[in-house]
Amino acid sequence: MDSETSENRGELDTSPHIADAADGERGKAFHAVLEREEALKTIINNSQIVVFLWKNEEKWPAEFVSENVVNFGYTVEDFISGRVLYGDIIHPDDLGKVEEELEKRIRSGAPDFNMEYRIFTKARKIRWVNERTFIQRDPEGAVTHFQGVVLDITERKQSEEELEKVLKMQEMLTTVINNSPAVAFLWRDEKYWPAVFVSENVVQFGYTVEDFISQGVLYGKIMHPEDLKRVEEELDRRIQKGEVSFDSEYRIFTKAGDLRWINERTFIQRDGDGKVICFQGIVLDITPRKKIEEALRKSLEMQKMLKTIINNSSAVAFLWKNMENWPVEFVSENITQFGYTVADFTSGRLLYGDIVHKDDINSVSESLERSIREGYDSFEMEYRILTGDGKIRWVEERMYIQRDSEGIPVHFQGIVVDVTERKEAQEMLDIQRELGMSLSSTLNLKTVLSLILDACLQIKEIDAGGIYLKDELLDQINLVAHRGLSPEFVKRISTYRADSPEAKQVWIEKPIYRLDFYAEEMADLLRTEKITAVAVIPMKHRGEIIGSLNFASHTVNRIPQNVRNFLESIALQVVNYIAPIRIEAYLR
């Protein structure tokens, strides 16, 4: 009994030590758990990840939320107290989608849920978040809670949206270029300018993109040999001067061997040290314009060459909405050539229809509507527009009609090219041709002179004129026909003796276009008559000056070069009609 008691006592003596040791181990483990929990809280609260524990109830009330919910302007107490339910801060446009997707995951038995959506901060700012949640179920499989993390991804979303806008703009510009006559190139600064990029519409010259990108065709090799050296020298001069752009007109061969005139407008791209690395350019086929210029040049029989009517315009790209007067969503910066800025159109202050000439707006609208009704994908037309300073310019518009999935036109993508000089050149050729036909059907000197004045005064820059003929019998020159001059002025200038200073000034062989050419007395007469510009064109027949065509303007300060060329051509044309009739009159 004693021994048992002693033995039992011994057991009782050791049990407290074992219990104390066990409690100590549990305490250490508990403290370790607390330390890990504290570390995790610190990590989470110093991160962008907000931890939530939501109940599976309407709008998901929160049982737990990490302290860094303050990143969204809320406090832990806002959610734990129930004052704020998580569903209340989800954007209304996204809430239904979140509920639907979560319910779908629950029904399918999925263990988790992941979605991106928008929430409101406490300051009512919108933030994009990514939620990743574990769906917690009880033993019967019913969902009780959602354990999840919410990460702010607003900056990423903004970057994605910016990228999407850039890509859309790039796609739009590519479509505009590929549906226009302007071919875009990116050339390396090497011999013959190998291309690293070319737009698909290079097919208009018979080539493919691959022809150039593969280096099977070098751009310099398709240029006319007579133009290549000149272009190389001009480009080198521009580079040496440190200039950033290059503009030239030259000829190229198509793949079929045909010659085409093109206008190249190029940006010279340099690195940080100023070294040229490549050329970014637009190549525009100007062969039709060149053909008209050539026709006009040939009509000037006594001139060695035609002073080219320069067309300094390039293709202006537009994206219009299919709405009344065509609001502009995009316009390229070279709209400045018409006196406007990009902001004038994109701000909505100016609609494209506002600049179309009032006499053309209806025909443009009707033609476009007809193209749409007939199912065309493109539209082309020439019409007039008003520049920012109120001048009238002729333009050629080429556009692509963009339709939605139901075939309804929503936008128009196109280019507008200034063709004013081409139209004026054509008008002058028409006037000259009609004058020739009229002159060939009459032998009456008075009628001939009247036809000449009527034809020339169709040019808008001149509004007055007179024709002088030499009178061999009286040894004087006489004003035999006139338009747009006052009676007093006509009386003062109607007759001059052949040896007078005035006659000697007129009867030189070169045209006169300067007001300061005249003596002071004549200059005073011109000022009184309010004449601001003059053109005096001698008429020479078989080596002798027989008269002159005199024209004036009350509206412009100088006679433009293309009008000078026209008047000189008219003088060459009409002298062959005037001289025979004049000689016949003398013989009578």
Side-chain angles (χ1 to χ4, degrees):
M1 180 69 179
D2 289 341
S3 61
E4 286 182 6
T5 302
S6 299
E7 188 176 329
N8 290 338
R9 187 181 294 115
E11 291 177 1
L12 290 173
D13 288 342
T14 59
S15 294
H17 296 296
I18 295 171
D20 289 344
D23 288 343
E25 290 300 320
R26 283 194 295 272
K28 288 179 182 179
F30 179 69
H31 286 299
V33 169
L34 291 177
E35 287 176 359
R36 284 196 298 273
E37 181 181 349
E38 193 62 31
L40 284 172
K41 284 183 178 179
T42 302
I43 291 171
I44 289 171
N45 290 327
N46 284 281
S47 74
Q48 298 299 313
I49 299 173
V50 182
V51 178
F52 276 93
L53 176 63
W54 298 285
K55 296 177 185 177
N56 183 20
E57 298 177 9
E58 185 180 1
K59 292 192 176 180
W60 311 296
E63 285 193 354
F64 171 81
V65 60
S66 55
E67 295 175 6
N68 61 341
V69 75
V70 72
N71 293 341
F72 298 130
Y74 301 101
T75 65
V76 171
E77 181 62 20
D78 287 335
F79 288 97
I80 301 304
S81 67
R83 289 195 302 271
V84 178
L85 300 178
Y86 188 75
D88 292 334
I89 74 170
I90 297 178
H91 195 288
D93 293 344
D94 295 346
L95 180 59
K97 291 182 285 187
V98 173
E99 290 174 329
E100 183 180 342
E101 183 62 26
L102 178 58
E103 183 61 29
K104 191 185 301 181
R105 298 290 290 174
I106 292 172
R107 287 198 307 271
S108 68
D112 54 20
F113 168 73
N114 184 13
M115 193 171 182
E116 294 179 359
Y117 52 85
R118 292 164 293 179
I119 66 168
F120 287 106
T121 67
K122 198 163 187 175
R124 302 305 290 173
K125 292 182 179 179
I126 296 174
R127 307 294 290 178
W128 274 95
V129 297
N130 176 283
E131 177 193 329
R132 300 192 176 204
T133 293
F134 170 67
I135 301 171
Q136 185 176 339
R137 291 176 169 83
D138 62 17
E140 285 76 32
V143 175
T144 59
H145 291 81
F146 306 106
Q147 300 172 357
V149 295
V150 172
L151 176 64
D152 189 333
I153 58 170
T154 305
E155 291 185 3
R156 191 200 82 196
K157 278 290 188 179
Q158 289 173 342
S159 297
E160 290 174 353
E161 289 173 358
E162 287 300 317
L163 178 59
E164 185 178 357
K165 288 179 182 178
V166 170
L167 291 176
K168 283 184 178 178
M169 183 59 69
Q170 180 179 336
E171 182 182 357
M172 184 276 294
L173 288 173
T174 300
T175 302
V176 169
I177 290 294
N178 288 331
N179 285 280
S180 79
V183 181
F185 274 95
L186 177 63
W187 299 284
R188 288 204 299 266
D189 182 23
E190 298 175 11
K191 184 71 173 175
Y192 296 125
W193 309 296
V196 295
F197 170 82
V198 59
S199 53
E200 295 176 4
N201 58 340
V202 74
V203 71
Q204 66 185 274
F205 299 127
Y207 301 101
T208 65
V209 172
E210 182 62 22
D211 287 336
F212 289 96
I213 302 305
S214 67
Q215 311 304 313
V217 176
L218 299 177
Y219 189 76
K221 290 289 189 179
I222 72 171
M223 293 176 62
H224 195 289
E226 294 177 5
D227 296 342
L228 177 59
K229 185 177 180 181
R230 172 178 59 82
V231 173
E232 288 176 327
E233 291 173 351
E234 287 179 4
L235 178 58
D236 188 59
R237 279 197 297 270
R238 303 284 287 184
I239 292 172
Q240 296 304 319
K241 289 181 180 179
E243 299 191 20
V244 298
S245 62
F246 171 71
D247 184 5
S248 186
E249 293 182 359
Y250 51 84
R251 292 162 294 177
I252 66 170
F253 288 102
T254 67
K255 198 166 188 176
D258 298 323
L259 267 181
R260 305 295 292 177
W261 272 98
I262 64 104
N263 174 274
E264 175 194 330
R265 292 177 180 244
T266 290
F267 169 67
I268 303 170
Q269 187 173 344
R270 293 175 167 86
D271 61 18
D273 298 324
K275 181 182 177 182
V276 175
I277 53 176
C278 62
F279 306 104
Q280 300 172 354
I282 293 291
V283 168
L284 184 66
D285 189 339
I286 59 170
T287 306
R289 193 198 83 193
K290 281 290 185 178
K291 286 181 178 179
I292 291 176
E293 290 175 356
E294 179 65 14
L296 183 60
R297 185 193 67 80
K298 289 180 179 179
S299 72
L300 306 176
E301 297 176 359
M302 299 301 292
Q303 292 188 0
K304 293 181 179 180
M305 61 181 296
L306 171 69
K307 294 180 179 179
T308 305
I309 300 173
I310 302 299
N311 182 355
N312 287 318
S313 69
S314 59
V316 181
F318 275 95
L319 176 64
W320 299 279
K321 295 179 184 176
N322 182 21
M323 298 171 61
E324 184 179 1
N325 281 329
W326 312 296
V328 175
E329 284 196 353
F330 169 84
V331 59
S332 52
E333 294 179 4
N334 59 343
I335 186 64
T336 54
Q337 67 186 279
F338 294 130
Y340 302 107
T341 65
V342 171
D344 288 336
F345 289 98
T346 56
S347 66
R349 291 194 302 267
L350 195 63
L351 303 177
Y352 187 77
D354 296 335
I355 74 169
V356 178
H357 195 285
K358 64 179 182 179
D359 292 339
D360 294 345
I361 185 70
N362 287 337
S363 60
V364 173
S365 298
E366 290 169 3
S367 297
L368 177 57
E369 289 171 4
R370 184 165 57 251
S371 295
I372 292 172
R373 284 197 309 271
E374 294 176 359
Y376 288 104
D377 292 330
S378 60
F379 171 74
E380 296 181 16
M381 190 171 182
E382 292 183 0
Y383 53 86
R384 291 163 293 178
I385 66 168
L386 299 177
T387 64
D389 57 1
K391 294 180 180 178
I392 296 173
R393 304 295 291 178
W394 274 95
V395 297
E396 178 184 28
E397 176 188 327
R398 297 186 182 187
M399 71 152 65
Y400 167 70
I401 301 171
Q402 183 180 342
R403 291 177 166 84
D404 61 18
S405 58
E406 297 177 355
I408 299 173
V410 290
H411 288 90
F412 307 114
Q413 299 174 355
I415 61 165
V416 170
V417 181
D418 191 331
V419 295
T420 305
E421 294 183 3
R422 190 195 79 198
K423 295 287 286 188
E424 290 176 350
Q426 186 61 57
E427 179 185 359
M428 292 177 187
L429 284 175
D430 292 342
I431 292 172
Q432 191 172 342
R433 183 173 60 253
E434 291 175 7
L435 176 60
M437 293 172 61
S438 299
L439 292 177
S440 65
S441 63
T442 182
L443 294 176
N444 182 281
L445 181 60
K446 183 177 181 180
T447 302
V448 167
L449 300 177
S450 180
L451 287 171
I452 295 169
L453 289 176
D454 289 343
C456 293
L457 290 176
Q458 292 182 54
I459 305 302
K460 64 181 179 181
E461 286 85 358
I462 54 178
D463 50 29
I467 301 176
Y468 282 95
L469 291 179
K470 188 175 182 180
D471 188 330
E472 300 288 355
L473 296 177
L474 299 178
D475 198 24
Q476 64 187 27
I477 57 174
N478 300 321
L479 182 65
V480 294
H482 60 84
R483 295 276 194 283
L485 302 172
S486 68
E488 295 80 6
F489 186 75
V490 170
K491 184 178 180 181
R492 295 287 299 273
I493 65 168
S494 61
T495 303
Y496 294 105
R497 289 192 55 79
D499 60 354
S500 67
E502 291 83 2
K504 289 178 179 178
Q505 287 179 339
V506 169
W507 301 118
I508 64 172
E509 295 187 8
K510 293 183 179 179
I512 300 169
Y513 298 105
R514 302 183 350 257
L515 285 170
D516 60 5
F517 178 84
Y518 296 102
E520 187 59 34
E521 183 180 356
M522 186 61 181
D524 288 340
L525 284 175
L526 294 173
R527 282 192 289 270
T528 301
E529 191 69 10
K530 296 182 180 179
I531 289 174
T532 56
V534 296
V536 180
I537 318 296
M539 292 187 292
K540 189 174 183 179
H541 182 70
R542 295 182 180 177
E544 178 188 359
I545 303 295
I546 66 166
S548 66
L549 301 181
N550 293 45
F551 293 98
S553 175
H554 297 84
T555 58
V556 298
N557 295 324
R558 61 184 296 275
I559 303 300
Q561 187 61 54
N562 61 335
V563 178
R564 296 182 186 187
N565 293 339
F566 167 75
L567 294 176
E568 291 172 25
S569 180
I570 291 291
L572 291 171
Q573 178 185 14
V574 302
V575 71
N576 295 318
Y577 292 93
I578 294 175
I581 300 175
R582 173 174 166 270
I583 292 170
E584 184 180 344
Y586 284 139
L587 293 176
R588 291 176 185 174

